[in-house]
Amino acid sequence: MADSSENFADLIPEDSAADIDMGNEEVMVEIDATSAGAYNDENGLPFQEEAMEDAPARVTYIDYLKSPVIGLLVGQGDEQALLTAHQALLTSSPWFADACAKFSDEVSERRIDLVDEDLDAVGCFLEFLYTGDYFPRKVPGTRDLEKDPHTPEVDETGDQLLKHARVYTLAETLSLPALKTLASSKIHCVNSTAKGEIAYARYVYAHTHKDDTAIRAPVANFWATRSHTLRAEAEDEFRQMCLEFPQFGYDVLTRVLDEKLKREKQDKMHPSSSHTPGSSRKRARGI
């Protein structure tokens, strides 16, 4: 084995002044500071002083609660209410960030009018801001929502579907994709009737963009695969829906024809196979 003093000496740069004694005497080594600095820069050590200075300060929940309180005037008539929320949380929405940027530091009262928005939808939005979810929450591992004793098991009027649809369109306005996804996922958990579905479809086609396939395509697909049974329960409403929103009728018809062609192709490949239309009323939707 080579002498350890030789190995250690080989590590010292030639331009460094060094006085080494491996005996019992004091060991003194002087290394050029420029060389040491180059080593740090070259290897990008994580504990460099500049990196520590550039690291942003962690924002705590207390920091959010210390931010100014914003008044939100929501709804109209008897349903109108003044809600409040902390500005630092509201500005996670680009829409609210732009609105709050107009306030000056001298303003004593900060208020934003949302008179055209649904009160319950705004309440769900605020609950989502503070907790990351809104009631009713999804039951983990299932396609069910939390039970509400004031809500019927079957949505015959469409109110439960419309609740989440309004949250969805509000999230679109506020540019909150996470809230949109959450609301959409809860829509698929609602057990509804034909008339409830028509009320929901009418809202979707009246308040969403025609290119929003995330919410429109499942609606059309639902009616295309179940219209043979659901239409009998709400034939007048279905006809009126098609007349009021021709795009809805076209979307449904397109999927019916696509499914017909698909079945014909499968029949040619597998003549003995049979196809039974889905009868489940739970909203297992496909795009």
Side-chain angles (χ1 to χ4, degrees):
M1 179 180 294
D3 184 11
S4 60
S5 63
E6 294 179 359
N7 292 334
F8 182 75
D10 291 339
L11 299 177
I12 307 304
E14 294 182 357
D15 58 348
S16 302
D19 184 5
I20 303 175
D21 187 345
M22 301 305 296
N24 294 326
E25 298 180 4
E26 179 182 2
V27 178
M28 181 176 63
V29 179
E30 294 182 7
I31 300 178
D32 181 48
T34 304
S35 300
Y39 175 81
N40 285 339
D41 292 340
E42 179 181 353
N43 291 275
L45 296 179
F47 302 107
Q48 296 181 46
E49 184 175 353
E50 291 184 359
M52 295 298 292
E53 291 178 352
D54 294 340
R58 184 176 72 89
V59 179
T60 66
Y61 196 67
I62 292 296
D63 293 326
Y64 288 120
L65 300 183
K66 287 180 178 179
S67 66
V69 174
I70 308 297
L72 304 175
L73 186 64
V74 186
Q76 301 179 16
D78 294 338
E79 295 295 321
Q80 190 174 81
L82 182 63
L83 310 179
T84 58
H86 291 88
Q87 179 171 313
L89 285 171
L90 286 174
T91 52
S92 61
S93 157
W95 190 92
F96 274 108
D98 291 340
C100 292
K102 299 176 183 178
F103 294 129
S104 64
D105 295 337
E106 291 76 20
V107 174
S108 58
E109 180 184 6
R110 303 186 178 207
R111 197 184 82 179
I112 299 174
D113 291 346
L114 301 171
V115 293
D116 294 328
E117 300 299 338
D118 180 75
L119 179 60
D120 183 67
V122 175
C124 293
F125 154 67
L126 294 177
E127 184 178 359
F128 172 79
L129 276 189
Y130 282 89
T131 69
D133 204 340
Y134 69 89
F135 183 84
R137 292 169 172 77
K138 296 175 66 176
V139 178
T142 71
R143 292 183 54 240
D144 297 322
L145 298 174
E146 292 175 325
K147 299 299 181 182
D148 182 355
H150 303 291
T151 301
E153 291 288 334
V154 178
D155 184 15
E156 297 184 358
T157 61
D159 289 344
Q160 297 176 49
L161 292 171
L162 291 174
K163 172 188 179 73
H164 303 300
R166 292 186 181 109
V167 174
Y168 180 95
T169 53
L170 178 62
E172 171 69 20
T173 300
L174 301 181
S175 300
L176 292 173
L179 182 55
K180 281 180 60 178
T181 300
L182 179 62
S184 178
S185 69
K186 293 186 179 186
I187 288 171
H188 302 301
C189 298
V190 176
N191 191 11
S192 58
T193 64
K195 292 186 178 181
E197 293 286 347
I198 284 291
Y200 167 68
R202 178 174 284 107
Y203 179 88
V204 167
Y205 274 80
H207 295 89
T208 63
H209 193 272
K210 65 179 181 179
D211 296 330
D212 190 349
T213 58
I215 192 168
R216 285 195 173 202
V219 171
N221 184 70
F222 181 84
W223 277 96
T225 57
R226 295 167 175 79
S227 59
H228 59 287
T229 57
L230 296 184
R231 191 179 62 183
E233 300 177 25
E235 186 168 358
D236 292 340
E237 293 85 349
F238 181 79
R239 183 189 302 111
Q240 182 61 35
M241 177 70 189
C242 291
L243 293 174
E244 187 177 351
F245 298 98
Q247 186 65 47
F248 168 76
Y250 175 81
D251 291 345
V252 172
L253 179 60
T254 298
R255 281 159 177 77
V256 169
L257 295 177
D258 288 345
E259 185 62 26
K260 183 175 182 294
L261 291 175
K262 181 180 178 181
R263 287 198 303 267
E264 291 175 351
K265 185 180 297 185
Q266 290 177 344
D267 288 342
K268 291 180 180 179
M269 298 177 60
H270 308 284
S272 61
S273 63
S274 61
H275 304 279
T276 303
S279 59
S280 173
R281 298 303 297 276
K282 207 78 172 185
R283 303 169 62 85
R285 299 179 175 276
I287 295 177

mmCIF file of all heavy atoms in Angstrom, residues 32-66:
data_model
loop_
_atom_site.group_PDB
_atom_site.id
_atom_site.type_symbol
_atom_site.label_atom_id
_atom_site.label_comp_id
_atom_site.label_asym_id
_atom_site.label_seq_id
_atom_site.Cartn_x
_atom_site.Cartn_y
_atom_site.Cartn_z
ATOM 1 N N ASP A 32 -5.258 27.938 -2.041
ATOM 2 C CA ASP A 32 -5.647 29.187 -2.688
ATOM 3 C C ASP A 32 -7.163 29.331 -2.687
ATOM 4 O O ASP A 32 -7.887 28.420 -3.088
ATOM 5 C CB ASP A 32 -5.122 29.188 -4.124
ATOM 6 C CG ASP A 32 -5.485 30.474 -4.845
ATOM 7 O OD1 ASP A 32 -5.271 31.543 -4.280
ATOM 8 O OD2 ASP A 32 -5.984 30.370 -5.985
ATOM 9 N N ALA A 33 -7.668 30.473 -2.231
ATOM 10 C CA ALA A 33 -9.117 30.674 -2.115
ATOM 11 C C ALA A 33 -9.805 30.640 -3.470
ATOM 12 O O ALA A 33 -10.954 30.241 -3.592
ATOM 13 C CB ALA A 33 -9.401 32.015 -1.427
ATOM 14 N N THR A 34 -9.110 31.053 -4.511
ATOM 15 C CA THR A 34 -9.704 31.047 -5.854
ATOM 16 C C THR A 34 -10.029 29.638 -6.293
ATOM 17 O O THR A 34 -11.067 29.360 -6.880
ATOM 18 C CB THR A 34 -8.740 31.696 -6.857
ATOM 19 O OG1 THR A 34 -8.424 33.004 -6.400
ATOM 20 C CG2 THR A 34 -9.375 31.767 -8.247
ATOM 21 N N SER A 35 -9.097 28.705 -5.961
ATOM 22 C CA SER A 35 -9.339 27.310 -6.332
ATOM 23 C C SER A 35 -10.542 26.758 -5.600
ATOM 24 O O SER A 35 -11.354 26.042 -6.162
ATOM 25 C CB SER A 35 -8.104 26.461 -6.009
ATOM 26 O OG SER A 35 -6.986 26.934 -6.735
ATOM 27 N N ALA A 36 -10.696 27.091 -4.338
ATOM 28 C CA ALA A 36 -11.821 26.591 -3.564
ATOM 29 C C ALA A 36 -13.138 27.129 -4.107
ATOM 30 O O ALA A 36 -14.128 26.420 -4.215
ATOM 31 C CB ALA A 36 -11.661 26.983 -2.101
ATOM 32 N N GLY A 37 -13.142 28.403 -4.470
ATOM 33 C CA GLY A 37 -14.363 28.977 -5.011
ATOM 34 C C GLY A 37 -14.746 28.343 -6.326
ATOM 35 O O GLY A 37 -15.905 28.101 -6.609
ATOM 36 N N ALA A 38 -13.733 28.043 -7.157
ATOM 37 C CA ALA A 38 -14.013 27.397 -8.439
ATOM 38 C C ALA A 38 -14.630 26.028 -8.219
ATOM 39 O O ALA A 38 -15.498 25.596 -8.962
ATOM 40 C CB ALA A 38 -12.722 27.280 -9.254
ATOM 41 N N TYR A 39 -14.201 25.334 -7.200
ATOM 42 C CA TYR A 39 -14.739 23.997 -6.910
ATOM 43 C C TYR A 39 -16.237 24.072 -6.586
ATOM 44 O O TYR A 39 -17.035 23.302 -7.083
ATOM 45 C CB TYR A 39 -13.971 23.395 -5.736
ATOM 46 C CG TYR A 39 -14.515 22.066 -5.268
ATOM 47 C CD1 TYR A 39 -14.193 20.895 -5.944
ATOM 48 C CD2 TYR A 39 -15.342 21.997 -4.156
ATOM 49 C CE1 TYR A 39 -14.690 19.682 -5.519
ATOM 50 C CE2 TYR A 39 -15.838 20.785 -3.723
ATOM 51 C CZ TYR A 39 -15.511 19.622 -4.400
ATOM 52 O OH TYR A 39 -16.013 18.420 -3.989
ATOM 53 N N ASN A 40 -16.609 25.061 -5.782
ATOM 54 C CA ASN A 40 -18.017 25.214 -5.434
ATOM 55 C C ASN A 40 -18.870 25.529 -6.655
ATOM 56 O O ASN A 40 -19.938 24.972 -6.861
ATOM 57 C CB ASN A 40 -18.205 26.311 -4.398
ATOM 58 C CG ASN A 40 -17.777 25.859 -3.012
ATOM 59 O OD1 ASN A 40 -17.722 24.668 -2.754
ATOM 60 N ND2 ASN A 40 -17.452 26.823 -2.168
ATOM 61 N N ASP A 41 -18.387 26.459 -7.498
ATOM 62 C CA ASP A 41 -19.158 26.846 -8.672
ATOM 63 C C ASP A 41 -19.299 25.682 -9.641
ATOM 64 O O ASP A 41 -20.346 25.466 -10.229
ATOM 65 C CB ASP A 41 -18.488 28.027 -9.380
ATOM 66 C CG ASP A 41 -18.566 29.289 -8.536
ATOM 67 O OD1 ASP A 41 -19.430 29.318 -7.647
ATOM 68 O OD2 ASP A 41 -17.772 30.211 -8.776
ATOM 69 N N GLU A 42 -18.200 24.938 -9.807
ATOM 70 C CA GLU A 42 -18.202 23.861 -10.789
ATOM 71 C C GLU A 42 -19.168 22.753 -10.395
ATOM 72 O O GLU A 42 -19.866 22.186 -11.227
ATOM 73 C CB GLU A 42 -16.785 23.304 -10.923
ATOM 74 C CG GLU A 42 -16.692 22.146 -11.930
ATOM 75 C CD GLU A 42 -15.272 21.605 -12.030
ATOM 76 O OE1 GLU A 42 -14.379 22.213 -11.430
ATOM 77 O OE2 GLU A 42 -15.093 20.585 -12.704
ATOM 78 N N ASN A 43 -19.225 22.429 -9.117
ATOM 79 C CA ASN A 43 -20.055 21.329 -8.660
ATOM 80 C C ASN A 43 -21.474 21.764 -8.293
ATOM 81 O O ASN A 43 -22.329 20.918 -8.048
ATOM 82 C CB ASN A 43 -19.407 20.641 -7.449
ATOM 83 C CG ASN A 43 -18.140 19.893 -7.846
ATOM 84 O OD1 ASN A 43 -18.196 18.751 -8.272
ATOM 85 N ND2 ASN A 43 -16.988 20.558 -7.719
ATOM 86 N N GLY A 44 -21.725 23.070 -8.247
ATOM 87 C CA GLY A 44 -23.068 23.549 -7.951
ATOM 88 C C GLY A 44 -23.600 23.036 -6.624
ATOM 89 O O GLY A 44 -24.677 22.451 -6.560
ATOM 90 N N LEU A 45 -22.845 23.194 -5.573
ATOM 91 C CA LEU A 45 -23.274 22.691 -4.277
ATOM 92 C C LEU A 45 -24.585 23.343 -3.850
ATOM 93 O O LEU A 45 -24.786 24.547 -4.039
ATOM 94 C CB LEU A 45 -22.186 22.965 -3.223
ATOM 95 C CG LEU A 45 -20.864 22.226 -3.463
ATOM 96 C CD1 LEU A 45 -19.866 22.590 -2.372
ATOM 97 C CD2 LEU A 45 -21.077 20.723 -3.499
ATOM 98 N N PRO A 46 -25.498 22.581 -3.249
ATOM 99 C CA PRO A 46 -26.824 23.119 -2.903
ATOM 100 C C PRO A 46 -26.819 24.110 -1.767
ATOM 101 O O PRO A 46 -27.827 24.752 -1.525
ATOM 102 C CB PRO A 46 -27.610 21.856 -2.515
ATOM 103 C CG PRO A 46 -26.563 20.896 -2.040
ATOM 104 C CD PRO A 46 -25.358 21.163 -2.895
ATOM 105 N N PHE A 47 -25.699 24.228 -1.063
ATOM 106 C CA PHE A 47 -25.696 25.094 0.117
ATOM 107 C C PHE A 47 -24.919 26.380 -0.119
ATOM 108 O O PHE A 47 -24.465 27.015 0.804
ATOM 109 C CB PHE A 47 -25.102 24.354 1.315
ATOM 110 C CG PHE A 47 -25.855 23.097 1.634
ATOM 111 C CD1 PHE A 47 -25.308 21.858 1.358
ATOM 112 C CD2 PHE A 47 -27.123 23.161 2.178
ATOM 113 C CE1 PHE A 47 -26.008 20.713 1.643
ATOM 114 C CE2 PHE A 47 -27.831 22.019 2.471
ATOM 115 C CZ PHE A 47 -27.279 20.779 2.196
ATOM 116 N N GLN A 48 -24.761 26.777 -1.390
ATOM 117 C CA GLN A 48 -24.089 28.026 -1.656
ATOM 118 C C GLN A 48 -24.913 29.187 -1.111
ATOM 119 O O GLN A 48 -26.146 29.142 -1.110
ATOM 120 C CB GLN A 48 -23.887 28.213 -3.156
ATOM 121 C CG GLN A 48 -22.955 27.145 -3.762
ATOM 122 C CD GLN A 48 -22.754 27.375 -5.233
ATOM 123 O OE1 GLN A 48 -22.515 28.502 -5.632
ATOM 124 N NE2 GLN A 48 -22.839 26.331 -6.023
ATOM 125 N N GLU A 49 -24.267 30.211 -0.687
ATOM 126 C CA GLU A 49 -24.946 31.317 -0.030
ATOM 127 C C GLU A 49 -25.933 32.012 -0.955
ATOM 128 O O GLU A 49 -27.024 32.371 -0.569
ATOM 129 C CB GLU A 49 -23.898 32.318 0.477
ATOM 130 C CG GLU A 49 -24.510 33.476 1.267
ATOM 131 C CD GLU A 49 -23.445 34.375 1.844
ATOM 132 O OE1 GLU A 49 -22.263 34.015 1.746
ATOM 133 O OE2 GLU A 49 -23.822 35.427 2.391
ATOM 134 N N GLU A 50 -25.571 32.170 -2.237
ATOM 135 C CA GLU A 50 -26.459 32.844 -3.169
ATOM 136 C C GLU A 50 -27.760 32.071 -3.347
ATOM 137 O O GLU A 50 -28.836 32.637 -3.425
ATOM 138 C CB GLU A 50 -25.767 33.020 -4.516
ATOM 139 C CG GLU A 50 -24.621 34.007 -4.490
ATOM 140 C CD GLU A 50 -24.030 34.208 -5.866
ATOM 141 O OE1 GLU A 50 -24.514 33.558 -6.819
ATOM 142 O OE2 GLU A 50 -23.100 35.015 -5.977
ATOM 143 N N ALA A 51 -27.651 30.737 -3.432
ATOM 144 C CA ALA A 51 -28.850 29.916 -3.615
ATOM 145 C C ALA A 51 -29.795 30.061 -2.427
ATOM 146 O O ALA A 51 -31.012 30.105 -2.579
ATOM 147 C CB ALA A 51 -28.471 28.454 -3.808
ATOM 148 N N MET A 52 -29.252 30.135 -1.236
ATOM 149 C CA MET A 52 -30.074 30.274 -0.052
ATOM 150 C C MET A 52 -30.786 31.633 -0.048
ATOM 151 O O MET A 52 -31.932 31.745 0.357
ATOM 152 C CB MET A 52 -29.222 30.128 1.208
ATOM 153 C CG MET A 52 -28.615 28.731 1.380
ATOM 154 S SD MET A 52 -29.884 27.465 1.558
ATOM 155 C CE MET A 52 -30.535 27.924 3.161
ATOM 156 N N GLU A 53 -30.095 32.668 -0.517
ATOM 157 C CA GLU A 53 -30.693 33.995 -0.523
ATOM 158 C C GLU A 53 -31.825 34.084 -1.536
ATOM 159 O O GLU A 53 -32.793 34.815 -1.340
ATOM 160 C CB GLU A 53 -29.623 35.042 -0.834
ATOM 161 C CG GLU A 53 -28.590 35.210 0.283
ATOM 162 C CD GLU A 53 -27.523 36.214 -0.083
ATOM 163 O OE1 GLU A 53 -27.525 36.652 -1.252
ATOM 164 O OE2 GLU A 53 -26.701 36.562 0.779
ATOM 165 N N ASP A 54 -31.735 33.320 -2.650
ATOM 166 C CA ASP A 54 -32.746 33.388 -3.692
ATOM 167 C C ASP A 54 -33.974 32.540 -3.381
ATOM 168 O O ASP A 54 -34.990 32.656 -4.064
ATOM 169 C CB ASP A 54 -32.153 32.930 -5.037
ATOM 170 C CG ASP A 54 -31.084 33.905 -5.523
ATOM 171 O OD1 ASP A 54 -31.098 35.049 -5.054
ATOM 172 O OD2 ASP A 54 -30.250 33.496 -6.352
ATOM 173 N N ALA A 55 -33.902 31.656 -2.398
ATOM 174 C CA ALA A 55 -35.030 30.774 -2.094
ATOM 175 C C ALA A 55 -36.207 31.598 -1.570
ATOM 176 O O ALA A 55 -36.056 32.402 -0.652
ATOM 177 C CB ALA A 55 -34.622 29.735 -1.058
ATOM 178 N N PRO A 56 -37.418 31.423 -2.173
ATOM 179 C CA PRO A 56 -38.583 32.201 -1.725
ATOM 180 C C PRO A 56 -39.036 31.768 -0.333
ATOM 181 O O PRO A 56 -38.897 30.611 0.049
ATOM 182 C CB PRO A 56 -39.655 31.868 -2.769
ATOM 183 C CG PRO A 56 -39.249 30.517 -3.296
ATOM 184 C CD PRO A 56 -37.743 30.509 -3.265
ATOM 185 N N ALA A 57 -39.571 32.713 0.407
ATOM 186 C CA ALA A 57 -40.064 32.410 1.749
ATOM 187 C C ALA A 57 -41.336 31.573 1.654
ATOM 188 O O ALA A 57 -42.166 31.778 0.766
ATOM 189 C CB ALA A 57 -40.341 33.706 2.512
ATOM 190 N N ARG A 58 -41.506 30.618 2.550
ATOM 191 C CA ARG A 58 -42.685 29.760 2.547
ATOM 192 C C ARG A 58 -43.909 30.558 3.010
ATOM 193 O O ARG A 58 -43.863 31.281 3.996
ATOM 194 C CB ARG A 58 -42.476 28.569 3.484
ATOM 195 C CG ARG A 58 -43.635 27.570 3.463
ATOM 196 C CD ARG A 58 -43.309 26.376 4.329
ATOM 197 N NE ARG A 58 -43.359 26.708 5.751
ATOM 198 C CZ ARG A 58 -44.470 26.629 6.495
ATOM 199 N NH1 ARG A 58 -45.606 26.236 5.940
ATOM 200 N NH2 ARG A 58 -44.435 26.938 7.768
ATOM 201 N N VAL A 59 -44.995 30.433 2.252
ATOM 202 C CA VAL A 59 -46.236 31.109 2.606
ATOM 203 C C VAL A 59 -47.054 30.179 3.496
ATOM 204 O O VAL A 59 -47.389 29.063 3.110
ATOM 205 C CB VAL A 59 -47.049 31.473 1.348
ATOM 206 C CG1 VAL A 59 -48.349 32.164 1.739
ATOM 207 C CG2 VAL A 59 -46.230 32.356 0.428
ATOM 208 N N THR A 60 -47.354 30.639 4.700
ATOM 209 C CA THR A 60 -48.104 29.819 5.646
ATOM 210 C C THR A 60 -49.594 30.136 5.556
ATOM 211 O O THR A 60 -50.005 31.130 4.953
ATOM 212 C CB THR A 60 -47.622 30.061 7.082
ATOM 213 O OG1 THR A 60 -47.950 31.407 7.460
ATOM 214 C CG2 THR A 60 -46.112 29.854 7.180
ATOM 215 N N TYR A 61 -50.388 29.287 6.187
ATOM 216 C CA TYR A 61 -51.832 29.527 6.207
ATOM 217 C C TYR A 61 -52.156 30.801 6.969
ATOM 218 O O TYR A 61 -53.085 31.534 6.632
ATOM 219 C CB TYR A 61 -52.538 28.329 6.845
ATOM 220 C CG TYR A 61 -54.017 28.297 6.587
ATOM 221 C CD1 TYR A 61 -54.516 28.080 5.312
ATOM 222 C CD2 TYR A 61 -54.930 28.495 7.623
ATOM 223 C CE1 TYR A 61 -55.873 28.058 5.056
ATOM 224 C CE2 TYR A 61 -56.300 28.471 7.384
ATOM 225 C CZ TYR A 61 -56.770 28.247 6.098
ATOM 226 O OH TYR A 61 -58.114 28.234 5.854
ATOM 227 N N ILE A 62 -51.351 31.109 7.980
ATOM 228 C CA ILE A 62 -51.535 32.355 8.733
ATOM 229 C C ILE A 62 -51.332 33.559 7.819
ATOM 230 O O ILE A 62 -52.041 34.567 7.930
ATOM 231 C CB ILE A 62 -50.552 32.416 9.921
ATOM 232 C CG1 ILE A 62 -50.916 31.357 10.966
ATOM 233 C CG2 ILE A 62 -50.566 33.805 10.559
ATOM 234 C CD1 ILE A 62 -52.275 31.570 11.607
ATOM 235 N N ASP A 63 -50.379 33.450 6.885
ATOM 236 C CA ASP A 63 -50.155 34.548 5.941
ATOM 237 C C ASP A 63 -51.407 34.823 5.111
ATOM 238 O O ASP A 63 -51.745 35.977 4.828
ATOM 239 C CB ASP A 63 -48.979 34.219 5.016
ATOM 240 C CG ASP A 63 -47.659 34.158 5.758
ATOM 241 O OD1 ASP A 63 -47.498 34.934 6.718
ATOM 242 O OD2 ASP A 63 -46.799 33.332 5.395
ATOM 243 N N TYR A 64 -52.086 33.750 4.707
ATOM 244 C CA TYR A 64 -53.336 33.933 3.964
ATOM 245 C C TYR A 64 -54.367 34.668 4.813
ATOM 246 O O TYR A 64 -55.055 35.577 4.343
ATOM 247 C CB TYR A 64 -53.896 32.576 3.540
ATOM 248 C CG TYR A 64 -53.131 31.898 2.428
ATOM 249 C CD1 TYR A 64 -52.542 30.659 2.624
ATOM 250 C CD2 TYR A 64 -53.010 32.502 1.173
ATOM 251 C CE1 TYR A 64 -51.841 30.034 1.606
ATOM 252 C CE2 TYR A 64 -52.318 31.883 0.148
ATOM 253 C CZ TYR A 64 -51.733 30.651 0.369
ATOM 254 O OH TYR A 64 -51.042 30.030 -0.643
ATOM 255 N N LEU A 65 -54.474 34.261 6.080
ATOM 256 C CA LEU A 65 -55.497 34.834 6.948
ATOM 257 C C LEU A 65 -55.175 36.271 7.355
ATOM 258 O O LEU A 65 -56.062 37.007 7.802
ATOM 259 C CB LEU A 65 -55.662 33.964 8.197
ATOM 260 C CG LEU A 65 -56.091 32.510 7.950
ATOM 261 C CD1 LEU A 65 -56.281 31.782 9.273
ATOM 262 C CD2 LEU A 65 -57.371 32.458 7.129
ATOM 263 N N LYS A 66 -53.930 36.678 7.227
ATOM 264 C CA LYS A 66 -53.544 38.049 7.534
ATOM 265 C C LYS A 66 -53.838 39.006 6.388
ATOM 266 O O LYS A 66 -53.788 40.225 6.562
ATOM 267 C CB LYS A 66 -52.049 38.116 7.859
ATOM 268 C CG LYS A 66 -51.664 37.527 9.213
ATOM 269 C CD LYS A 66 -50.157 37.655 9.416
ATOM 270 C CE LYS A 66 -49.729 37.119 10.775
ATOM 271 N NZ LYS A 66 -48.257 37.222 10.971
#
